[in-house]
Amino acid sequence: MRILWFAWFRTRVGAAEEAVTLPAEIRDVRGLVDWLRTRSPGHAAALADDAAIRVAVNQTYVKFDHPVTDGDEVALFPPVTGG
Amino acid sequence: MRILWFAWFRTRVGAAEEAVTLPAEIRDVRGLVDWLRTRSPGHAAALADDAAIRVAVNQTYVKFDHPVTDGDEVALFPPVTGG
Amino acid sequence: MSGPSVDAGKLVVVRVQHEDFDVGAEIAALTQGRPAIGGVTSFLGLVRDIHGDARVGAMTLEHFPGMTERELARISDEAHARWPLEATLIVHRVGRLEPGDRIVLCAAASAHRQAAFDACAFLIDFLKTRAPFWKLEATDGGERWVEARASDDAAAARWQGPETRS
Amino acid sequence: MSGPSVDAGKLVVVRVQHEDFDVGAEIAALTQGRPAIGGVTSFLGLVRDIHGDARVGAMTLEHFPGMTERELARISDEAHARWPLEATLIVHRVGRLEPGDRIVLCAAASAHRQAAFDACAFLIDFLKTRAPFWKLEATDGGERWVEARASDDAAAARWQGPETRS
């Protein structure tokens, strides 16, 4: 699975992109976020607050109950501030 | 008194501007409009409908109860359609 | 990155002209030297080729020189009194225009997006019901003076307070 | 003055770019060949020199290439579905910008003024809450990521129907 990080999620994680092998027991975004938090203190800091996490699977916004599979591209980022 | 006509009031009256001597008994816009209607069939046609008459005394919108004197410039025109 | 903001003062631009205008240049002139401006909402009015059920070939815009500029300034001043604006602009053309031609540009610049939107809508709504302009259309059926629309009165009435009732 | 109107079709323009844009040229391109358009409402967003209580020297706009364009197209399509529009435009810059620089231009063109205003407000409100852009500001106190504002969520919520809830 390809993970993309943007804005201050990227600076806390220390990478714009990661390739991860999704554990078989993880079936949805909720599970993915919880698992990613365990990867490093930076990951935990980026994902500290559920309310501040936006998720796009294959470039489309999804909620935490959305299913994920190892072939997905999952982007994680804070609330947007363009315009 | 200087009377200015605009848009289809102008075409019905047949003049953009008239110089009139205000009869002494006319004190307000209401009286002026009623008197102007008697000047010609064109004047009567232009001023046929009170609701379609807009009045500016010295370039400021006024209502029918506004006083007028012989030194005023009074513009009469239909509802505006700019923009 | 230091020192106080330079307050360039509130800007009110009102113009009535025969010539066309450049939308980008007008808006750039409005914002130049005013770094507190976060957004500019503008409305550009164009001559349509259809009015009601008639094709419009051209139109002639007549106005009341002097009073027009006064009314546009009054409408602009009231927008500044109602919203926290840095600058406003109203440019309106007169004379002969053809379908697709620019007629009017209203713009409101503010630190705040909602103020810019509301003030710009206010400017065009009041211009349409108070500024002394009249349109004479040339259609297939001949020349006709455009009639005022009840929907324009209703749009202006949205903003109506005691200070704007005539 | 005769013959049917040429229907040029609905126009949807979405661009993300480093370069500056020309507001007048963008709006002229939107209305060119569409004589049914009576009005164009546009919103131009600029970099302010003050954000909260800090002076801003410059900012860098980051985005999610690919998804950004998809979201902007989605927002545009929804505006066309909601209002009778002839054309819409969203141009957004990325990269390093300084106070006074243009950031974004949204525009909606319609036969009807109110539709143009509502659709333009909708475009910028949704862009601000859904399009994946992020601002990194350089202030006197160092670099900081701009925080999302509750007022932007509230502005977008005005338009919220079932089809726009994520």
Side-chain angles (χ1 to χ4, degrees), chain D residues 33-104:
Chain D
R34 290 183 170 73
I37 294 174
V40 184
T41 302
S42 64
F43 177 79
L44 171 66
L46 301 164
V47 182
R48 289 166 58 188
D49 63 344
I50 298 275
H51 189 175
D53 53 2
R55 293 194 63 77
V56 177
M59 66 163 59
T60 304
L61 264 150
E62 172 174 331
H63 80 124
F64 180 175
M67 182 172 170
T68 311
E69 291 83 354
R70 285 175 66 148
E71 277 297 311
L72 296 181
R74 205 179 316 222
I75 293 165
S76 302
D77 289 346
E78 185 158 338
H80 279 271
R82 287 183 177 220
W83 290 280
L85 305 175
E86 299 293 322
T88 57
L89 166 86
I90 303 176
V91 181
H92 201 295
R93 293 176 71 189
V94 290
R96 189 174 182 282
L97 298 173
E98 298 190 349
D101 281 353
R102 285 174 278 269
I103 305 174
V104 62

Side-chain angles (χ1 to χ4, degrees), chain B residues 4-11 54-56 58-63 73 75-83, chain C residues 62-67 70-71 74 92 103-104 124 127-135 145-148 166:
Chain B
L4 305 178
W5 303 99
F6 290 98
W8 56 266
F9 282 20
R10 175 175 52 74
T11 50
R54 299 292 178 271
V55 185
N58 303 320
Q59 302 194 352
T60 298
Y61 280 110
V62 298
K63 295 185 176 178
E73 175 201 85
L76 293 131
F77 46 79
V80 304
T81 57
Chain C
E62 172 175 331
H63 80 124
F64 181 175
M67 182 173 169
R70 285 175 66 151
E71 276 299 310
R74 206 180 313 224
H92 200 296
I103 305 174
V104 62
I124 185 65
L127 183 154
K128 280 186 176 268
T129 53
R130 293 191 63 93
F133 293 101
W134 301 272
K135 288 176 184 146
W145 289 96
V146 172
E147 282 187 50
S166 63

Side-chain angles (χ1 to χ4, degrees), chain D residues 20 22 25 45 48 51 55 58 82 89-90 99 102 109 118 120 137-138 143 149 151 159 163:
Chain D
D20 194 10
D22 177 329
R48 289 166 58 188
H51 189 175
R55 293 194 63 77
R82 287 183 177 220
L89 166 86
I90 303 176
R102 285 174 278 269
D118 289 346
C120 184
E137 286 179 343
E143 287 196 333
R149 299 188 311 166
S151 63
W159 309 105
E163 73 276 32

Side-chain angles (χ1 to χ4, degrees), chain C residues 4-114:
Chain C
S5 270
V6 176
D7 181 0
K10 308 296 185 189
L11 179 62
V12 176
V13 178
V14 163
R15 288 205 322 273
V16 179
Q17 63 188 40
H18 278 79
E19 314 81 65
D20 194 11
F21 48 81
D22 178 328
V23 175
E26 297 292 346
I27 291 176
L30 211 60
T31 59
Q32 179 65 35
R34 291 183 169 72
I37 294 174
V40 184
T41 301
S42 64
F43 176 79
L44 171 67
L46 302 165
V47 181
R48 290 165 59 188
D49 63 344
I50 299 275
H51 189 174
D53 52 3
R55 294 193 64 75
V56 177
M59 66 162 59
T60 305
L61 265 148
E62 172 175 331
H63 80 124
F64 181 175
M67 182 173 169
T68 312
E69 292 82 354
R70 285 175 66 151
E71 276 299 310
L72 296 180
R74 206 180 313 224
I75 293 165
S76 302
D77 289 347
E78 184 158 339
H80 279 271
R82 287 183 178 220
W83 290 280
L85 305 175
E86 299 294 322
T88 58
L89 167 86
I90 303 176
V91 181
H92 200 296
R93 292 176 71 191
V94 291
R96 188 174 184 280
L97 298 172
E98 298 190 349
D101 281 354
R102 285 173 276 271
I103 305 174
V104 62
L105 180 67
C106 294
S110 176
H112 308 287
R113 170 164 105 256
Q114 194 58 50

Side-chain angles (χ1 to χ4, degrees), chain C residues 78 82-83 121-130 149-166, chain D residues 113-114:
Chain C
E78 184 158 339
R82 287 183 178 220
W83 290 280
F122 173 90
L123 291 177
I124 185 65
D125 285 349
F126 268 81
L127 183 154
K128 280 186 176 268
T129 53
R130 293 191 63 93
R149 299 188 311 165
S151 63
D152 284 333
D153 290 333
R158 292 187 297 167
W159 309 104
Q160 211 83 331
E163 74 275 31
T164 60
R165 290 198 186 101
S166 63
Chain D
R113 168 163 108 256
Q114 194 58 49

